């Protein structure tokens, strides 16, 4: 659908004649049900009560990928139904849960993976350390092992009771059935009685109704694909965004950035993107968005870095300082509360977006800036309470609660619009996101720094259209640095965030010594191990890029938990410390301080990426990888194209491929040459293996760097 026509429709989709109710309806008293309306193939809407005006769907700027939704396998009838009831507290929605039906999703939930049995208040907050539902990116979407998904279109702090609540008059549980998870999950899960029928209850405060969207399967994977395509299709980063990122120390000046850029090339450390932290601005908390005198000639600096094949990403947040050139123009289009003495732009307001975007385009992007890190667009109940209150009011009519739920994505919209009108693609970072985020090329991060939590978040994010980086900052030991870096290179963004250390962490992990310029004895050996990890990332860029193309076109998350592809395997249900990358790879990063770990391999044969040992799946295995290796497994029957590990993705040699055929008599693999523009110009390159030899077929013009296979290697 044309973007202009889409934006003229309030809800973003056209209802078709209703379909019959699903047969499994939860017991209700005075609640009402609604007939599901087919809005796209496999997607239904139920309108319960009177929905609010300001919601994720009504404020979206990206239309559904209607054509792509039509290409997915048919979903059949609506998979479930919902009933709703107005209460003095707001609005309550109930949806049934079958015995042994597990629930996943609800956004970036650091402290839990399986959501059945838990209570979550989906509230935007930075650095959540308890399992309350607070999150950098809460999403009122869940998916179940029965193969369907549910989105509640609300910008309120909804409370979700994902089963385990019984009402007076419900029949006794007794021995309702067999708990299929008894042998797959820790015994503590028994308290939730997954074997009993139950229901999901969602309470939406201050609302009189809500639209509920149902996404059919019949598999979990297809349900998530439909959700992502309903959001507009997945993000497609430019190739450079999939290279290595390094964020400089916060007070770096222009000469410091140029010195570090030269050092990385001299030391053969791969890097595509350099990030500038707060010190590039004249004022940062709140923001001026104006270049400070630390950067006397930003245009020349950006041009010089571009000649060395670096892109530059700028840190900022959305709060406009009185010294900012856009402060006066933003004032009538901002909320009634300040943050760090700065205005809070109403990004639901077209004029607020225009003022913000026009300045950024003129003063940054026109000079050569390639993207942004959108910091502190979340909330602050756990971090010194710096953000605007929920009682705030905005010119669009949103209150502070609604604005917190929508702020991160509408901020991304504002910045994204600049690149799109210039025909460019970007990749960046944001500290808040939410419902319908899949099309946005912004990766989540957190100031929390628990290594295990960071690894597990990669899998969790993939269930609700989010991307996450387990970024590297500092480390207590070189071993921790290497293990953290290995996790980062096997994630949506390979990021070293050195915002508080002046020298690369492989020179010295101790923060004080690093900033004093005292490097560790023998640091070159640590650098070499880190270089090998970064080179692994560069080898995988063609494969990762192809996985993101599928995300864009089919809604299939490039990084996703095992359960999404193996919902019938109860042993895959709890696994969140390993994840799939595309269809061929399974990553199982080692957490710092552990010399061994257990990995669950789903059914079928797998290969150790490093040793090429063939391993039977459908079981757990113990691995003890040396420090220089991260556990990585390749599915039997796959072709894995590996690029020359260049220092940056612009290097033509990054198109030189070694293709490994893992146990394949016949196999194909599709890559895409990419012009980097918006919309993307892609040339499909199909690699084929017949058991003895390989061939390459290019469908369209060659786009730099063109792919060329230099060798084919069968792995028996």
């Amino acid at each position: 659908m044309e973007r202009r026509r889409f934006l003229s429709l309030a809800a973003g989709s056209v209802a078709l004649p209703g379909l019959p109710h699903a047969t499994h309806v939860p017991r209700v008293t005075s609640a009402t049900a609604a007939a599901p309306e087919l809005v796209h193939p496999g997607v239904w809407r139920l309108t319960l009560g009177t929905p609010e005006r300001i919601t994720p769907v009504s404020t979206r700027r990206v239309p559904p990928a209607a054509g792509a939704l039509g290409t997915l396998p048919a979903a059949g009838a609506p998979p479930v139904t919902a009933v709703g009831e107005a209460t003095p507290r707001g609005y309550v929605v109930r949806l049934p849960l079958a015995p042994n039906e597990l629930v996943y999703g609800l956004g970036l939930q650091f402290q839990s993976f399986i959501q059945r049995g838990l209570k979550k208040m989906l509230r935007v907050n930075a650095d959540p350390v308890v399992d309350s539902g607070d999150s950098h990116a809460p999403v009122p979407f869940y998916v179940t092992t029965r193969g369907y998904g549910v989105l509640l279109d609300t910008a309120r702090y909804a409370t979700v009771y994902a089963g385990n609540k019984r009402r007076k008059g419900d029949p006794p549980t007794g021995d309702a059935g067999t708990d299929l998870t008894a042998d797959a999950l820790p015994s503590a899960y028994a308290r939730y009685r997954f074997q009993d029928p139950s229901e999901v209850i969602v309470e939406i405060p201050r609302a009189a109704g809500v639209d509920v969207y149902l996404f059919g399967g019949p598999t979990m994977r297809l349900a998530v694909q439909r959700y992502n395509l309903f959001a507009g299709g997945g993000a497609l980063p430019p190739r450079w965004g999939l290279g290595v990122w390094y964020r400089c120390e916060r007070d770096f000046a222009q000469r410091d950035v140029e010195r570090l850029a030269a050092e990385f090339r001299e030391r053969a450390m791969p890097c595509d993107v350099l990030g500038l932290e707060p010190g590039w601005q004249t004022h940062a908390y709140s923001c001026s968005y104006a270049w400070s005198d630390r950067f006397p000639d930003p245009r020349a600096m950006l041009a010089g870095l571009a000649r060395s094949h670096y892109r530059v990403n700028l840190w900022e947040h959305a709060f406009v300082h009185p010294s900012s050139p856009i402060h006066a123009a933003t004032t009538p289009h901002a909320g009634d509360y300040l943050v760090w003495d700065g205005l809070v732009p109403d990004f639901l307001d077209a004029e607020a977006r225009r003022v913000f975007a026009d300045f950024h385009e003129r003063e940054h992007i026109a000079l050569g800036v390639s993207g942004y890190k959108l910091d502190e667009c979340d909330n602050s109940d756990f971090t010194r309470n710096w953000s605007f209150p929920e009682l705030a009011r905005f010119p669009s009519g949103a209150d502070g609660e609604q604005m917190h739920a929508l702020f991160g994505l509408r901020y991304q919209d504002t910045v994204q619009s600049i690149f799109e009108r210039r025909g460019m693609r970007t990749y960046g970072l944001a500290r808040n996101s939410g419902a319908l985020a899949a099309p946005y090329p912004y990766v989540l991060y957190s100031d929390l720094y628990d290594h295990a939590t960071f690894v597990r978040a990669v899998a969790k994010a993939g269930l609700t259209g989010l991307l996450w980086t387990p970024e590297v900052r500092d480390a207590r030991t070189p071993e921790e640095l290497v293990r953290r870096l290995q996790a980062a290179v096997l994630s949506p963004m390979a990021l070293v965030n050195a915002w508080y250390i002046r020298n690369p962490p492989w020179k010295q992990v101790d923060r004080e010594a690093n900033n004093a310029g005292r490097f560790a004895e023998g640091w070159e050996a640590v650098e070499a191990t880190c270089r090998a990890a970064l080179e692994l990332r560069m080898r995988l860029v063609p494969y990762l890029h192809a996985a993101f193309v599928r995300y864009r076109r089919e809604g299939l998350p490039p990084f996703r938990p095992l359960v999404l592809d193996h919902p019938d395997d109860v042993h895959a249900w709890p696994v969140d410390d390993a994840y799939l990358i595309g269809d061929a790879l399974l990553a199982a990063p080692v957490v710092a301080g552990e010399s061994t770990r257990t990995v669950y391999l789903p059914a079928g044969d797998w290969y150790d990426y490093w040793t090429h040992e063939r391993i039977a799946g459908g079981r757990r295995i113990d691995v003890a990888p040396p420090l220089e290796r991260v556990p990585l497994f390749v599915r039997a029957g796959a072709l894995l194209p590996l690029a020359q590990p260049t220092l940056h993705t612009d290097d033509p040699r990054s198109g030189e491929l070694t293709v490994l055929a893992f146990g394949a008599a016949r196999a194909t693999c599709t890559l895409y040459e990419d012009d980097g523009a918006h919309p993307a110009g892609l040339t499909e390159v199909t690699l084929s293996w017949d058991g003895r030899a390989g061939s390459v077929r290019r469908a369209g013009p060659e786009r730099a760097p063109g792919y060329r296979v230099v060798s084919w290697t069968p792995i028996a």
Side-chain angles (χ1 to χ4, degrees):
M1 183 187 297
E2 183 184 351
R3 176 72 63 88
R4 188 176 298 119
R5 170 166 164 72
F6 163 76
L7 293 175
S8 71
L9 302 176
S13 52
V14 179
L16 299 178
L19 296 178
H21 293 292
T23 57
H24 186 189
V25 180
R27 183 182 67 81
V28 297
T29 52
S30 58
T32 58
E37 301 173 276
L38 184 68
V39 294
H40 292 286
V43 183
W44 295 266
R45 178 175 57 206
L46 290 78
T47 297
L48 301 174
T50 304
E52 293 191 281
R53 179 177 64 87
I54 295 175
T55 71
V57 170
S58 71
T59 62
R60 65 189 296 175
R61 308 296 298 172
V62 180
L69 281 164
T71 67
L72 295 181
V80 69
T81 193
V83 295
E85 179 180 14
T87 76
R89 292 164 54 91
Y91 202 80
V92 173
V93 179
R94 301 177 187 273
L95 304 100
L97 282 177
N100 293 302
E101 179 181 6
L102 266 59
V103 176
Y104 297 85
L106 303 180
L108 186 65
Q109 297 294 331
F110 281 146
Q111 310 303 331
S112 57
F113 182 48
I114 296 171
Q115 301 302 329
R116 179 157 179 173
L118 303 182
K119 171 188 173 183
K120 296 292 174 68
M121 177 185 283
L122 302 181
R123 183 173 63 166
V124 175
N125 255 316
D127 300 352
V129 294
V130 295
D131 198 18
S132 61
D134 291 280
S135 171
H136 291 288
V139 180
F141 170 81
Y142 68 86
V143 63
T144 87
T145 49
R146 286 187 64 207
Y148 66 89
V150 176
L151 170 68
L152 293 103
D153 182 29
T154 180
R156 295 293 177 191
Y157 294 167
T159 298
V160 179
Y161 302 87
N164 198 38
K165 297 301 176 189
R166 299 181 64 250
R167 288 178 286 168
K168 185 171 64 175
D170 283 346
T173 55
D175 295 320
T178 302
D179 183 359
L180 297 180
T181 67
D183 296 330
L185 300 180
S187 59
Y189 280 92
R191 73 185 73 170
Y192 300 127
R193 295 193 61 83
F194 293 156
Q195 70 268 33
D196 295 334
S198 190
E199 62 182 351
V200 173
I201 307 169
V202 184
E203 184 181 43
I204 304 169
R206 293 169 291 284
V210 66
D211 281 328
V212 179
Y213 290 85
L214 308 177
F215 300 87
T219 65
M220 287 183 73
R221 176 165 151 160
L222 277 169
V224 170
Q225 287 181 252
R226 290 187 212 278
Y227 168 73
N228 289 332
L229 291 174
F230 178 73
L236 177 56
R239 289 182 78 255
W240 57 259
L242 298 176
V244 175
W245 290 56
Y246 189 98
R247 304 202 69 83
C248 304
E249 197 264 347
R250 61 190 170 193
D251 292 327
F252 262 28
Q254 179 171 329
R255 62 182 179 278
D256 299 312
V257 176
E258 293 167 339
R259 173 191 55 77
L260 185 67
E263 177 183 331
F264 285 162
R265 295 293 184 248
E266 292 166 4
R267 301 293 304 177
M269 299 299 282
C271 186
D272 269 272
V273 183
L274 291 172
L276 306 187
E277 288 292 298
W280 71 269
Q281 298 182 55
T282 56
H283 201 281
Y285 279 84
S286 48
C287 287
S288 69
Y289 316 107
W291 293 93
S292 78
D293 56 10
R294 291 189 181 97
F295 293 83
D297 194 345
R299 185 186 297 273
M301 178 193 71
L302 292 166
L305 291 173
R307 287 192 295 272
S308 296
H309 304 281
Y310 287 103
R311 273 73 178 183
V312 173
N313 178 282
L314 298 182
W315 173 98
E316 66 168 48
H317 57 229
F319 311 121
V320 182
H321 189 259
S323 68
S324 173
I326 63 172
H327 187 271
T330 301
T331 298
H333 307 286
D336 57 353
Y337 279 81
L338 304 176
V339 175
W340 292 307
D341 294 326
L343 299 171
V344 182
D346 184 351
F347 288 131
L348 301 183
D349 180 280
E351 184 62 12
R353 294 194 301 269
R354 186 196 66 77
V355 169
F356 199 89
D358 285 357
F359 182 85
H360 280 62
E361 180 173 20
R362 183 175 64 253
E363 299 297 328
H364 307 154
I365 297 171
L367 273 61
V369 168
S370 295
Y372 293 91
K373 174 182 177 179
L374 310 179
D375 206 2
E376 286 140 336
C377 47
D378 39 32
N379 202 349
S380 57
D381 290 347
F382 310 136
T383 53
R384 299 181 296 281
N385 194 30
W386 47 260
S387 195
F388 56 87
E390 279 74 7
L391 56 82
R393 302 299 305 179
F394 290 83
S396 62
D399 61 33
E401 177 183 6
Q402 294 169 310
M403 187 58 75
H404 276 303
L406 299 170
F407 196 66
L409 278 173
R410 302 294 76 88
Y411 187 9
Q412 292 171 49
D413 271 328
T414 303
V415 172
Q416 188 67 13
S417 68
I418 310 168
F419 294 99
E420 291 182 358
R421 70 193 183 205
R422 294 178 70 90
M424 300 167 62
R425 298 215 311 279
T426 187
Y427 202 36
L429 293 137
R431 215 173 75 177
N432 169 241
S433 202
L436 308 179
Y440 294 89
Y442 295 87
V443 182
L444 289 159
Y445 61 98
S446 175
D447 284 343
L448 296 177
Y449 201 51
D450 178 75
H451 191 190
T453 298
F454 270 31
V455 169
R456 294 173 187 273
V458 176
K460 295 172 182 177
L463 288 165
T464 50
L466 304 172
L467 301 171
W468 164 262
T469 176
E471 64 176 28
V472 183
R473 295 188 176 186
D474 60 359
R476 291 163 295 184
T477 65
E479 182 265 345
E480 180 184 352
L481 173 65
V482 171
R483 290 305 191 196
R484 284 185 177 273
L485 190 59
Q486 291 170 343
V489 302
L490 296 177
S491 82
M493 181 178 284
L495 171 61
V496 177
N497 183 9
W499 72 269
Y500 49 71
I501 54 176
R502 291 193 62 82
N503 297 286
W506 42 83
K507 288 186 169 183
Q508 173 61 267
V509 297
D510 180 82
R511 178 175 176 176
E512 182 178 348
N514 185 301
N515 288 330
R518 299 193 303 271
F519 301 151
E521 184 177 353
W523 64 265
E524 293 89 348
V526 180
E527 180 192 57
T529 306
C530 291
R531 181 185 299 110
L534 301 180
E535 288 178 343
L536 172 62
R537 175 65 172 212
M538 301 304 288
R539 292 181 189 277
L540 291 174
V541 165
Y543 176 83
L544 294 174
H545 178 266
F548 272 98
V549 172
R550 289 194 69 187
Y551 190 34
R552 179 65 181 166
R553 292 179 170 180
E554 303 173 28
L556 182 63
F559 296 81
R560 57 189 185 270
L562 275 57
V563 65
L564 205 61
D565 287 43
H566 302 277
D568 297 326
D569 182 350
V570 296
H571 295 286
W573 287 1
V575 177
D576 62 354
D577 62 350
Y579 45 88
L580 299 173
I581 306 175
D583 282 343
L585 295 179
L586 187 156
V590 174
V591 173
E594 297 180 358
S595 58
T596 63
R597 65 155 295 169
T598 299
V599 181
Y600 181 73
L601 297 176
D605 285 352
W606 297 81
Y607 286 82
D608 184 304
Y609 169 85
W610 303 100
T611 67
H612 298 168
E613 174 190 1
R614 189 165 186 148
I615 306 168
R619 63 191 179 104
R620 296 182 180 89
I621 64 170
D622 293 323
V623 296
L627 181 60
E628 65 273 13
R629 292 181 179 177
V630 56
L632 186 62
F633 302 89
V634 187
R635 196 186 298 273
L639 292 184
L640 182 63
L642 298 175
Q644 179 78 8
T646 54
L647 296 183
H648 51 80
T649 56
D650 288 343
D651 190 327
R653 294 176 302 153
S654 68
E656 297 177 359
L657 305 176
T658 297
V659 182
L660 306 182
F662 285 90
R666 292 183 178 274
T668 61
C669 171
T670 303
L671 302 177
Y672 301 88
E673 296 171 349
D674 188 342
D675 65 0
H678 171 80
L682 301 173
T683 294
E684 189 172 291
V685 179
T686 302
L687 311 179
S688 299
W689 175 255
D690 66 7
R692 294 176 298 177
S695 61
V696 180
R697 180 175 58 84
R698 178 177 282 102
E702 181 173 334
R703 304 176 191 270
Y707 288 130
R708 302 169 302 286
V709 177
V710 297
S711 67
W712 299 81
T713 304
I715 309 297

